[in-house]
Amino acid sequence: MLRSLTRTALAARSRLATAVAHPAVKTYYSTALRSTVVPAGQKSINMAFNSIRSFATESTSGENEEKVIGESKKKSFQAETRKLLDIVTHSLYSEKEVFVRELVSNASDALEKLRHSQLTDASLDSGKPMEIHISVDEAKNTFTIQDFGIGMTEEEAISNLGTIARSGSKAFLENLEGDAGAASTKDKIIGQFGVGFYSAFMVGSEIKVYTRSAKPGSKGYCWTSDGSGSYEIAEAENVAIGTKIVITLRDECKEYANEAVVEGIIKKYSNFVAYPVHLNSKKINAVQPLWTKDKKDITDEEHVEFYRYVAGAWDNPQFKLVYKTDSPLAISSLLYIPQRHMEVLGMQREEPGVSLYSRKVMIQAKSKALLPEWLRFVKGVVDCEDLPLNVSRELLQDQSLSKLRQVLTGRVIKWLENEAKSDSKAYNHFFEEFGTFIKEGVCTEDEKTRPNVAKLLRYESSATAVGEVISLKDYVDRMKAGQENVYFTCVPKRKFAEESPYFEEFKEKGIEVLFLYDTVDEFVVNNLRQVGQHKLVSIDAADIQDKVLEPSSPKDSGESDVKDKTPEEAKLAKEEAKLEAENIAEWFRDTLGMQVRKVDVSKRHMSHPAVVTEHDSPAVRKMMAMMSGAAKVGEDNLPPTPTNLEINVKHPIIKKLWSIKSENPIFAKQVAEQIYDNALIAAGVLDDPRSMLKRLNTIMEASLSSSANSRSKDTVMQPKKIEVVEGEKV
């Protein structure tokens, strides 16, 4: 069977040699055979077809090459045009590689013009596939691009190529008004300014353009220029319908004759143009622009493939969003959230993951302007068809990008909010990985957007199990009747929160408290400040005003000690207790000196001797230490900022301390300082606990000595039992 097929193929080659006598037929067969797909694994069949391809290629590369046959007409660019050409060549584009994007876009436009024109004029036909072919030759140092599109007449070539900033595509669109199918064509036409072709002069020392209009009976022409101020145009034969541009590259631009380099540029900028792009007979743009399809028509497999392409990843996306809108801008986008990110490993900062396209042509790769920086973990593509671009198609001309950013940011926030509602478990898993980004958003967004970002936050609370998180809305929805504030505490671990002296009163009264474990959470609540109409209040704040914290019993208010006394006795006892408490507070203030701003009698219901309020947060302390350089080895710690001290005068330690202060003032001072340091530790603001070790050892030694002396005294003072004999005096 294989021999038979081989003989058939060789016979076909022989017949083809006769059939392709006409140049146009040669070109057609060459193109058709190059696009033939042969099943893999059938070596003999491949050899047969390769034989035919080889013959066709030899024919087209020899006899069928374009040749100038007419008289060459030399024309000069106008003075203004020469200046513009110099600007385009040296100043307009930031990267030379964009000439590939511009030429591919022009070729795509030419094919689209032909496709649309064929709707009303069936005689227009190139006889070739609707494709773009690029070839590079390092030996000849050339870059060639060819399309089989609408082509140009001599007048059109002079008008379009001889005049900078005259856009043939724009003129074509202006003539489309009212035509059938105009809407779809407008969406696919890329060119607007008429300067893209001239970007080729950035890399080329000479440019030849072979073109032939698709209109029946049209002749072929060759347009030639070195960009120095003039061009030549002449009739040519063997020119296929469409346009072929041959660029002789400058010595410093030889890299653009390298196939791998050009392939990378095509995939970067033009991977999603509407027509197939072939490089040295290999199709390059194999990935479909999924954002142009309806949401329901995109399969999960296509999503995975596209995500991996745009994100350069190998995992699967955990969330995906197909978002399209016509107002206020025409936006088509496809966005993804990966399973994990690299910043969690302490590696480099994530780059923005969303690229900006306009009509399937990339304008900005990994654009920093599309989404705020805190959303840099989002991957995908945004295509805005009516985005006003500047001439180089690299920057925007007005405030539309700001509007686009605003629309996209709001939609991404809404997207994540919807994901949380539809599958809370999956969202909580996402937040565990990407929560730091959300918190960054709360800290950096403006007042208008910040509350919406805060809806995405998740925290543990005193009312949840370990590892179970809730939203701020969940907290507000189950607040106690009359509760005015949302309460939180910033601690490294849940255990520290539950054992905190500040938490005791809230626990006894059944008031839920949010547990914030990350250092950045302190900045989050400081920026957020409130949830709806409810203030965010730390449980270690001073003088918290809230109805649910008001005393509800004599025990809570401290009146239980005087309830059995007469009114006069009760009043006197209260005044005495108040005076004593004030004296204790004054003694602490004098003893601690500049370490405290003031000392108050605490109104909190707690089992600890003292707490501090109005202190620096631990996160602020660390930042201040780094900024001052105090964290360097060998330097003293940053002096603590004076705080307010609240003492619990009913605590046994405070009572005992007050009773011995006159007997042993030095020891009493040491105990007072230790009470203060203990309060700083409870608040998490004591920089280095090692500073109190010497004092702590002294206190323990004194305590043990006192205990030993007490036992010794008990032994000495124990009365002896004496037997008394009747009638004897003792």
Side-chain angles (χ1 to χ4, degrees):
M1 177 181 177
L2 292 177
R3 292 196 192 93
S4 176
L5 286 172
T6 303
R7 286 196 298 271
T8 302
L10 293 174
R13 173 176 179 170
S14 177
R15 289 194 296 272
L16 181 62
T18 305
V20 297
H22 192 278
V25 178
K26 289 180 184 178
T27 305
Y28 173 77
Y29 274 100
S30 175
T31 305
L33 289 170
R34 280 198 299 271
S35 62
T36 304
V37 179
V38 182
Q42 301 183 31
K43 185 174 181 181
S44 299
I45 300 177
N46 288 345
M47 291 175 60
F49 275 92
N50 286 336
S51 177
I52 299 174
R53 280 200 184 96
S54 175
F55 171 77
T57 304
E58 291 167 4
S59 300
T60 55
S61 62
E63 300 176 28
N64 202 34
E65 284 187 352
E66 298 86 350
K67 295 180 181 179
V68 174
I69 59 173
E71 181 182 355
S72 180
K73 302 174 186 177
K74 187 172 183 178
K75 296 179 179 292
S76 298
F77 292 117
Q78 296 179 358
E80 294 81 1
T81 302
R82 285 199 297 271
K83 292 179 181 178
L84 284 172
L85 183 57
D86 185 68
I87 292 173
V88 171
T89 305
H90 299 101
S91 306
L92 186 60
Y93 296 95
S94 60
E95 300 289 342
K96 290 183 178 180
E97 65 181 21
V98 299
F99 86 93
V100 179
R101 178 193 71 186
E102 297 299 304
L103 297 184
V104 171
S105 298
N106 288 349
S108 177
D109 284 352
L111 291 167
E112 182 58 29
K113 292 172 190 175
L114 177 61
R115 185 200 67 79
H116 179 82
S117 299
Q118 287 174 337
L119 297 176
T120 55
D121 188 350
S123 65
L124 299 176
D125 187 12
S126 67
K128 311 290 191 305
M130 301 286 275
E131 297 175 345
I132 301 168
H133 288 267
I134 298 175
S135 61
V136 292
D137 191 325
E138 291 187 275
K140 295 181 179 179
N141 197 30
T142 58
F143 175 99
T144 304
I145 180 170
Q146 183 172 17
D147 67 73
F148 305 110
I150 194 69
M152 292 179 284
T153 63
E154 181 181 14
E155 293 76 14
E156 289 171 337
I158 293 172
S159 177
N160 293 337
L161 303 182
T163 306
I164 297 180
R166 185 191 184 283
S167 173
S169 294
K170 187 175 182 180
F172 180 81
L173 289 175
E174 290 172 352
N175 294 329
L176 282 184
E177 299 299 331
D179 284 7
S184 62
T185 300
K186 286 181 179 180
D187 292 342
K188 296 176 182 177
I189 293 293
I190 301 167
Q192 301 180 47
F193 303 107
V195 298
F197 164 73
Y198 301 95
S199 64
F201 285 105
M202 292 192 298
V203 298
S205 58
E206 182 186 66
I207 297 177
K208 288 187 177 182
V209 180
Y210 297 98
T211 185
R212 179 179 162 201
S213 174
K215 297 175 182 177
S218 295
K219 298 179 180 179
Y221 293 91
C222 175
W223 184 97
T224 307
S225 177
D226 60 3
S228 62
S230 63
Y231 63 90
E232 296 181 1
I233 188 167
E235 184 180 343
E237 66 177 358
N238 297 338
V239 178
I241 291 175
T243 301
K244 177 180 179 181
I245 302 173
V246 181
I247 303 174
T248 301
L249 297 168
R250 302 177 188 271
D251 290 339
E252 67 272 20
C253 299
K254 289 183 178 181
E255 61 189 285
Y256 300 114
N258 181 279
E259 182 175 344
V261 171
V262 174
E263 180 177 350
I265 297 171
I266 295 171
K267 288 184 175 181
K268 178 179 179 180
Y269 291 103
S270 306
N271 209 44
F272 302 111
V273 293
Y275 297 95
V277 179
H278 296 262
L279 175 61
N280 289 356
S281 302
K282 180 177 70 174
K283 186 176 179 181
I284 301 300
N285 56 338
V287 182
Q288 296 185 55
L290 290 189
W291 68 87
T292 62
K293 300 175 67 174
D294 289 335
K295 179 179 179 179
K296 63 180 183 300
D297 295 333
I298 306 175
T299 65
D300 290 340
E301 291 76 14
E302 288 177 323
H303 272 301
V304 171
E305 179 186 5
F306 189 80
Y307 158 74
R308 290 179 176 178
Y309 171 77
V310 297
W314 294 101
D315 60 339
N316 295 346
Q318 58 176 317
F319 298 139
K320 51 184 177 289
L321 172 68
V322 180
Y323 173 57
K324 297 184 180 184
T325 183
D326 294 326
S327 178
L329 295 169
I331 302 171
S332 294
S333 60
L334 190 51
L335 304 176
Y336 299 96
I337 292 177
Q339 295 286 345
R340 55 190 57 86
H341 63 92
M342 300 304 294
E343 289 186 23
V344 73
L345 301 176
M347 301 179 70
Q348 76 277 5
R349 189 175 180 84
E350 287 273 335
E351 290 185 318
V354 181
S355 297
L356 175 62
Y357 284 71
S358 181
R359 303 173 190 273
K360 303 178 191 173
V361 176
M362 194 189 72
I363 305 302
Q364 292 179 352
K366 298 181 178 179
S367 175
K368 295 182 179 179
L370 282 178
L371 290 171
E373 192 172 0
W374 66 272
L375 285 173
R376 58 189 176 276
F377 61 88
V378 178
K379 312 297 181 183
V381 167
V382 173
D383 193 316
C384 188
E385 295 180 350
D386 55 1
L387 201 61
L389 306 173
N390 73 354
V391 177
S392 66
R393 281 197 283 199
E394 294 176 347
L395 302 173
L396 304 184
Q397 293 177 329
D398 57 17
Q399 300 301 316
S400 295
L401 187 57
S402 176
K403 187 67 176 177
L404 178 59
R405 176 191 178 106
Q406 181 181 347
V407 171
L408 289 174
T409 301
R411 187 61 186 89
V412 171
I413 293 172
K414 189 66 177 177
W415 167 33
L416 293 174
E417 192 176 349
N418 291 338
E419 292 289 353
K421 291 178 181 177
S422 61
D423 189 341
S424 60
K425 185 177 180 180
Y427 179 82
N428 292 344
H429 174 74
F430 154 79
F431 188 82
E432 184 177 352
E433 181 75 16
F434 293 92
T436 304
F437 294 92
I438 306 300
K439 295 171 184 179
E440 181 184 334
V442 175
C443 295
T444 57
E445 280 292 353
D446 55 40
E447 293 288 341
K448 182 179 179 181
T449 309
R450 186 176 296 128
N452 293 328
V453 182
K455 296 177 182 178
L456 305 176
L457 294 170
R458 295 294 183 272
Y459 292 113
E460 284 189 29
S461 83
S462 57
T464 66
V466 177
E468 182 183 341
V469 294
I470 60 170
S471 67
L472 298 180
K473 183 179 182 302
D474 294 334
Y475 180 100
V476 172
D477 289 344
R478 60 196 196 195
M479 285 171 58
K480 294 176 70 71
Q483 183 176 334
E484 301 172 16
N485 305 317
V486 173
Y487 295 102
F488 69 90
T489 182
C490 295
V491 289
K493 298 179 180 178
R494 186 184 184 101
K495 182 175 183 292
F496 296 165
E498 294 175 335
E499 295 177 354
S500 168
Y502 304 101
F503 178 62
E504 289 182 359
E505 184 174 11
F506 292 86
K507 182 178 180 180
E508 289 182 4
K509 295 182 180 295
I511 301 173
E512 187 172 11
V513 176
L514 295 172
F515 294 160
L516 282 53
Y517 302 138
D518 294 338
T519 301
V520 71
D521 288 327
E522 296 186 42
F523 300 99
V524 170
V525 293
N526 287 337
N527 279 275
L528 188 57
R529 293 192 294 278
Q530 62 184 43
V531 181
Q533 302 302 315
H534 305 282
K535 291 182 180 180
L536 275 162
V537 178
S538 176
I539 61 174
D540 61 10
D543 298 326
I544 301 175
Q545 302 296 322
D546 199 329
K547 294 179 180 178
V548 293
L549 289 175
E550 294 177 356
S552 57
S553 66
K555 182 179 180 181
D556 294 337
S557 61
E559 298 178 0
S560 58
D561 296 339
V562 298
K563 64 179 180 178
D564 296 329
K565 298 181 180 180
T566 64
E568 292 77 10
E569 292 174 334
K571 182 178 180 181
L572 181 61
K574 287 179 65 176
E575 290 177 354
E576 290 176 350
K578 181 179 179 182
L579 180 61
E580 184 180 46
E582 291 174 352
N583 291 336
I584 296 174
E586 184 178 358
W587 179 83
F588 264 93
R589 187 163 47 250
D590 295 339
T591 301
L592 297 175
M594 298 299 293
Q595 297 182 73
V596 294
R597 281 193 292 264
K598 66 176 183 177
V599 180
D600 295 321
V601 177
S602 180
K603 299 177 182 178
R604 300 172 187 267
H605 186 68
M606 61 180 180
S607 62
H608 290 66
V611 293
V612 292
T613 60
E614 302 295 333
H615 55 78
D616 292 332
S617 70
V620 172
R621 291 287 300 170
K622 290 178 183 177
M623 183 179 296
M624 290 172 62
M626 288 188 293
M627 293 177 65
S628 67
K632 294 180 181 178
V633 176
E635 294 189 10
D636 293 335
N637 288 328
L638 188 70
T641 304
T643 65
N644 296 345
L645 180 66
E646 293 184 6
I647 56 174
N648 178 9
V649 295
K650 296 180 181 180
H651 195 278
I653 292 178
I654 301 296
K655 290 181 177 180
K656 185 65 176 177
L657 176 62
W658 181 245
S659 68
I660 68 166
K661 68 177 182 60
S662 299
E663 303 173 10
N664 195 344
I666 296 177
F667 181 70
K669 183 176 185 296
Q670 290 178 324
V671 174
E673 290 175 342
Q674 188 62 48
I675 290 173
Y676 180 65
D677 278 355
N678 289 350
L680 292 177
I681 292 174
V685 292
L686 186 65
D687 294 327
D688 191 351
R690 290 175 295 184
S691 61
M692 67 178 187
L693 288 179
K694 184 176 180 180
R695 183 202 316 126
L696 188 58
N697 288 335
T698 301
I699 293 173
M700 288 192 296
E701 183 180 355
S703 177
L704 292 172
S705 297
S706 176
S707 178
N709 291 337
S710 177
R711 287 196 302 271
S712 175
K713 185 177 180 180
D714 289 344
T715 303
V716 173
M717 298 299 292
Q718 183 71 27
K720 230 179 188 183
K721 186 176 181 182
I722 302 175
E723 293 184 6
V724 180
V725 180
E726 188 176 348
E728 183 178 335
K729 287 186 178 181
V730 180

